[in-house]
Amino acid sequence: MIDGTKIFCTMSPAATHLMAAITYVADDGSERYGFAQIAVGTPGVVISEDWDALGMRASGSHSITFDGVVLPADALRGGFLAGDPIPYMERNLTAGLFHASASLGIAEMAHQTATRTAAARGGEHDTRTRIAAAEASIELSACRAALSRTASLIDAHRRSNPTHVGTDEEIRALFTEAQATKTFVNEAATRVVDRALAMSGGAGYMSGHPLNRAYRDVRAGAFMHPLGANRAYDLVGDSALGRALKLH
């Protein structure tokens, strides 16, 4: 039986099934962390109409309440000891890259919108516009390179371990690399969008303009898990200093 609340359940208005992270007590008495697949029509599942955010307004990320939801045993997917970071890292190796790629896509769109508009105006562009366009172009190149490199490292690892997840050290290193990339891309993408808005002038500030939406949506990347920016800095810093990595 499940009781609790899940926040930011993306696309919940259209969902037929939900996947919720849960903790539970196994038959041996140990506390474990797993994932439950839950049909939306199950008694006790309530989707709240409460998604009212700064950005990502189209995602329908309402909160879900589980009130005495009874599930069959086969609804449980996976499961590992609560507090063990390695299985969590292995399961979420690529999750940070998905969020980073979304941030990068928003930034690319914003940069393209701003530079095309500026070019269409013709004439001599002021120095600040040229600098902003150059800085954004440089950061976008760095973002693409970082994302490509980290994805390639994960792909190579999985090709080398077709029947096994790899060693703990390998998983730690790859997860840390992915979190460093996610954090860098999220922050660089925000700077690119800010520059695009500055290049656009007042037009981009108006509701309905694509830069207005980009300015709001790109800021969501910093708190998308795993990991949010605050925790990512802790993890990457601990890794650089040779400290034990903690996620729970």
Side-chain angles (χ1 to χ4, degrees), residues 158-244:
R158 288 185 167 167
R159 284 195 300 270
S160 298
N161 297 274
T163 61
H164 188 261
V165 298
T167 67
D168 289 1
E169 290 74 18
E170 290 170 336
I171 297 302
R172 287 191 188 95
L174 286 170
F175 186 79
T176 302
E177 190 72 29
Q179 292 306 309
T181 296
K182 174 186 182 296
T183 303
F184 172 74
V185 173
N186 287 159
E187 293 180 351
T190 300
R191 293 191 295 269
V192 169
V193 174
D194 286 351
R195 292 189 188 99
L197 189 61
M199 282 190 283
S200 77
Y205 193 70
M206 301 301 292
S207 296
H209 194 284
L211 292 181
N212 180 292
R213 179 173 177 176
Y215 179 84
R216 291 181 283 107
D217 286 353
V218 78
R219 282 162 166 74
F223 60 79
M224 288 294 176
H225 287 268
L227 297 170
N230 292 348
R231 297 182 69 199
Y233 271 99
D234 278 346
L235 179 119
V236 176
D238 283 344
S239 177
L241 295 170
R243 295 162 56 91

Side-chain angles (χ1 to χ4, degrees), residues 29 42 82 93 109 136 142 164 178 223 245:
T42 304
L93 273 183
M109 179 278 292
H164 188 261
F223 60 79
L245 305 186

Side-chain angles (χ1 to χ4, degrees), residues 97 104 142-155 181 185:
L97 302 189
L104 177 56
C143 287
R144 296 181 191 114
L147 195 58
S148 177
R149 175 183 179 275
T150 304
S152 295
L153 289 174
I154 294 173
D155 285 346
T181 296
V185 173

Side-chain angles (χ1 to χ4, degrees), residues 3-230:
D3 290 288
T5 301
K6 175 177 174 57
I7 63 170
F8 290 8
C9 190
T10 302
M11 301 302 294
S12 55
T16 59
H17 290 76
L18 309 170
M19 187 69 81
I22 62 169
T23 55
Y24 63 98
V25 178
D27 293 339
D28 62 4
S30 63
E31 184 179 13
R32 299 182 69 82
Y33 185 98
F35 303 87
Q37 182 172 294
I38 307 165
V40 168
T42 304
V45 176
V46 178
I47 299 177
S48 304
E49 296 290 329
D50 59 359
W51 183 240
D52 184 19
L54 171 68
M56 296 179 61
R57 295 173 181 173
S59 70
S61 302
H62 303 298
S63 62
I64 310 290
T65 300
F66 303 108
D67 185 8
V69 176
V70 178
L71 299 173
D74 62 4
L76 185 65
R77 299 289 190 273
F80 48 85
L81 286 174
D84 186 349
I86 299 302
Y88 181 90
M89 289 179 180
E90 194 281 326
R91 181 182 175 89
N92 291 288
L93 273 183
T94 59
L97 302 189
F98 297 154
H99 295 140
S101 64
S103 294
L104 177 56
I106 294 170
E108 289 177 327
M109 179 278 292
H111 181 64
Q112 184 180 79
T113 298
T115 52
R116 284 183 174 178
T117 300
R121 287 198 293 263
E124 183 69 15
H125 297 104
D126 60 85
T127 301
R128 180 59 186 135
T129 295
R130 295 199 300 273
I131 291 174
E135 289 175 336
S137 297
I138 291 166
E139 289 209 288
L140 286 172
S141 292
C143 287
R144 296 181 191 114
L147 195 58
S148 177
R149 175 183 179 275
T150 304
S152 295
L153 289 174
I154 294 173
D155 285 346
H157 170 78
R158 288 185 167 167
R159 284 195 300 270
S160 298
N161 297 274
T163 61
H164 188 261
V165 298
T167 67
D168 289 1
E169 290 74 18
E170 290 170 336
I171 297 302
R172 287 191 188 95
L174 286 170
F175 186 79
T176 302
E177 190 72 29
Q179 292 306 309
T181 296
K182 174 186 182 296
T183 303
F184 172 74
V185 173
N186 287 159
E187 293 180 351
T190 300
R191 293 191 295 269
V192 169
V193 174
D194 286 351
R195 292 189 188 99
L197 189 61
M199 282 190 283
S200 77
Y205 193 70
M206 301 301 292
S207 296
H209 194 284
L211 292 181
N212 180 292
R213 179 173 177 176
Y215 179 84
R216 291 181 283 107
D217 286 353
V218 78
R219 282 162 166 74
F223 60 79
M224 288 294 176
H225 287 268
L227 297 170
N230 292 348

